[in-house]
Amino acid sequence: MAVLSRGFGGRRRESDENLPPGQYLTEDFPVLSAGPTPRIETADWELTIVSESGERSTWSWDEMLALGVEDVHTDIHCVTRWSKLATNWRGVSLDKLFADIETDGAYVMAHSYGGYTTNVPLEDLLEGKAWIATEFEGEPLEPEHGGPARLLVPHLYFWKSAKWVRGLTLQATDEPGFWEQNGYNMYGDPWKEERYW
Ligand SMILES: Nc1nc2c(c(=O)[nH]1)N[C@H]1C(S)=C(S)[C@@H](COP(=O)(O)O)O[C@H]1N2
Ligand SMILES: [Mo]
């Protein structure tokens, strides 16, 4: 008994150590969209990466999935202060999509169906840090949450995870996207509370 209680008392709860500063835990999945929800059939869906020299690489839905889908187990943190721990996604790693892209561009602008944009450094999308997510908790991603596919960059605040993603444009310089032009941080590290300017 003594061993048990000492072990219990000495361990921090997951909610403490995995929750960035200023965040609270939520069990439900809030929907935060700046405009109406676009409805895109997977048959019409395409993803295009445009290099800084203008070279375009495009994948259809099936072509993207053929690159290989993997399980992603991660926490997500919204700048409006909710976090969800231990969420389960499936998606295609951006490492696969960028494998044959030649670029010197250090920054990416993500573009969504519907017009949303958000900027992310390229290195934050590579080496197992970002996905094009197509499933959430074992189900196809719902349109409200960005289905059929959204960017998932869970180590940054969730506004960087562009819903209904349709393109990634490489750039030499870091330009602000939609929320970044409206006062949100250019980078958005939840552990440093990089919320606003
Ligand atoms: N296309 C698009 N992507 C978006 C947004 C948006 O308005 N449009 N909102 C962002 C913000 S601010 C957050 S917190 C998350 C919310 O995702 P959710 O609605 O699935 O919770 O999506 C991000 N991606
Ligand atoms: Mo957000």
Side-chain angles (χ1 to χ4, degrees):
M1 292 304 267
V3 172
L4 262 184
S5 58
R6 190 166 62 234
F8 179 78
R11 193 188 307 144
R12 301 185 69 197
R13 285 176 302 139
E14 183 187 45
S15 56
D16 294 330
E17 62 188 28
N18 292 348
L19 199 59
Q23 297 292 110
Y24 67 86
L25 283 177
T26 182
E27 288 302 320
D28 46 57
F29 194 176
V31 171
L32 283 140
S33 302
T37 295
R39 307 276 161 168
I40 307 111
E41 302 292 327
T42 55
D44 302 326
W45 185 92
E46 278 186 348
L47 182 77
T48 301
I49 296 181
V50 186
S51 77
E52 71 280 15
S53 61
E55 218 173 307
R56 301 168 70 86
S57 308
T58 298
W59 293 263
S60 68
W61 183 257
D62 290 341
E63 286 167 344
M64 180 186 71
L65 294 184
L67 296 175
V69 179
E70 56 190 61
D71 291 313
V72 183
H73 183 74
T74 191
D75 305 335
I76 54 177
H77 312 291
C78 175
V79 72
T80 62
R81 297 185 183 274
W82 57 264
S83 290
K84 285 178 77 59
L85 300 185
T87 56
N88 294 293
W89 304 76
R90 275 171 76 74
V92 177
S93 168
L94 286 216
D95 291 308
K96 296 214 162 119
L97 289 154
F98 277 99
D100 295 323
I101 307 280
E102 302 238 344
T103 183
D104 294 320
Y107 298 95
V108 172
M109 186 69 79
H111 295 263
S112 296
Y113 291 98
Y116 184 85
T117 55
T118 189
N119 55 302
V120 188
L122 177 58
E123 63 177 15
D124 286 86
L125 299 182
L126 302 179
E127 294 180 16
K129 293 198 284 289
W131 296 266
I132 304 293
T134 57
E135 290 182 31
F136 177 74
E137 301 298 352
E139 302 287 342
L141 190 59
E142 289 178 24
E144 287 73 17
H145 288 297
R150 77 183 296 164
L151 190 59
L152 179 64
V153 194
H155 70 287
L156 300 177
Y157 280 124
F158 210 35
W159 88 78
K160 299 289 185 181
S161 293
K163 304 196 280 190
W164 317 294
V165 65
R166 68 172 173 82
L168 304 170
T169 302
L170 289 149
Q171 306 170 163
T173 57
D174 195 13
E175 306 293 335
F178 174 78
W179 281 120
E180 294 83 4
Q181 289 172 38
N182 287 285
Y184 283 20
N185 192 270
M186 287 294 272
Y187 185 63
D189 181 345
W191 294 95
K192 295 182 180 159
E193 287 210 68
E194 294 176 346
R195 297 175 190 276
Y196 311 108
W197 288 349

